[in-house]
Amino acid sequence: MSSVRVFILGTLARRGAMHGHQIRQSAQRDHTELWTDIKVGSLYGALHRMAGEGLIEEVRTEQEGSLPARTIYEITEDGRLELESLRDAALRDTKLAPDPVDLALQLSEDVPTPILASTIRDRLGALTCKLEEWRRLKEVAAPYLTPLETHGFDHTLMRLETEVTWHEGLLKALSVTPAGVVERGEDE
């Protein structure tokens, strides 16, 4: 499933005809890079591909002042059907994507425990910071969020909280003695 396709089709379906720069601004305003795998720079190429597939169509070209000419796109009936299909598939998909950290841990037998523990502490610190950023972001955004957007925020917060808890448990498994010597936990 392509998040970029869903975003473009959903934005055009919700907001009407737009040019690529407006769609990009919408992605930036909605902070899509925070909660999806969408990179705003990939939107322009996707627009051209989707127009070629008949999911969106060029309705006109506009030029304001000395700004470059901009092509205005709108969603087609095929695009609405594709949006419905992609959205349905995403809502029904319950597959958990593998996390590369699990594989890296399995292949870390030869990593000295102090180095592994240090890396995990760094990851935990980064995740804790990200969790706090999301909490602040939700607090600021709360007055403007729809109920479904609030649930999306909560989903991300819960995932981050779980990651923090998991990393804390992993660090306990790599216990540190008072002398600073790191030892593997008993369950390993």
Side-chain angles (χ1 to χ4, degrees):
M1 202 254 337
S2 168
S3 299
V4 171
R5 291 168 79 89
V6 172
F7 179 78
I8 290 172
L9 292 170
T11 299
L12 291 174
R14 226 169 66 196
R15 297 189 175 144
M18 302 171 82
H19 56 69
H21 186 66
Q22 290 170 314
I23 294 170
R24 180 186 173 109
Q25 287 176 319
S26 179
Q28 290 171 322
R29 187 174 43 254
D30 293 346
H31 301 290
T32 59
E33 287 185 347
L34 292 176
W35 46 270
T36 70
D37 58 352
I38 295 172
K39 303 295 179 228
V40 293
S42 67
L43 294 172
Y44 294 106
L47 283 169
H48 295 293
R49 284 189 301 279
M50 293 168 67
E53 296 171 27
L55 301 175
I56 60 176
E57 63 185 1
E58 299 177 7
V59 290
R60 66 185 176 279
T61 301
E62 293 179 352
Q63 185 167 8
E64 295 178 23
S66 62
L67 293 174
R70 294 184 169 156
T71 303
I72 309 296
Y73 297 94
E74 70 181 4
I75 189 169
T76 64
E77 191 55 40
D78 284 348
R80 290 183 192 285
L81 293 172
E82 178 77 359
L83 173 61
E84 186 177 313
S85 174
L86 290 170
R87 186 175 45 214
D88 184 65
L91 289 170
R92 292 180 186 280
D93 184 8
T94 57
K95 179 184 82 178
L96 292 176
D99 189 333
V101 75
D102 297 325
L103 177 59
L105 278 175
Q106 290 177 23
L107 301 173
S108 294
E109 293 286 326
D110 61 333
V111 177
T113 305
I115 292 172
L116 183 58
S118 176
T119 302
I120 299 304
R121 270 192 297 282
D122 290 347
R123 284 178 57 89
L124 175 58
L127 287 164
T128 301
C129 286
K130 189 171 288 215
L131 175 58
E132 290 309 312
E133 286 173 24
W134 269 91
R135 286 179 175 154
R136 283 191 301 276
L137 184 59
K138 183 182 178 192
E139 190 176 304
V140 170
Y144 311 102
L145 298 176
T146 67
L148 290 177
E149 289 169 334
T150 299
H151 281 284
F153 258 96
D154 290 343
H155 187 217
T156 299
L157 285 169
M158 291 170 136
R159 291 169 68 190
L160 284 167
E161 288 165 352
T162 299
E163 283 292 324
V164 166
T165 301
W166 182 83
H167 281 76
E168 289 169 343
L170 179 56
L171 279 176
K172 284 180 185 172
L174 301 170
S175 60
V176 179
T177 66
V181 177
V182 181
E183 299 174 344
R184 302 269 182 197
E186 291 179 28
D187 58 342
E188 293 185 53

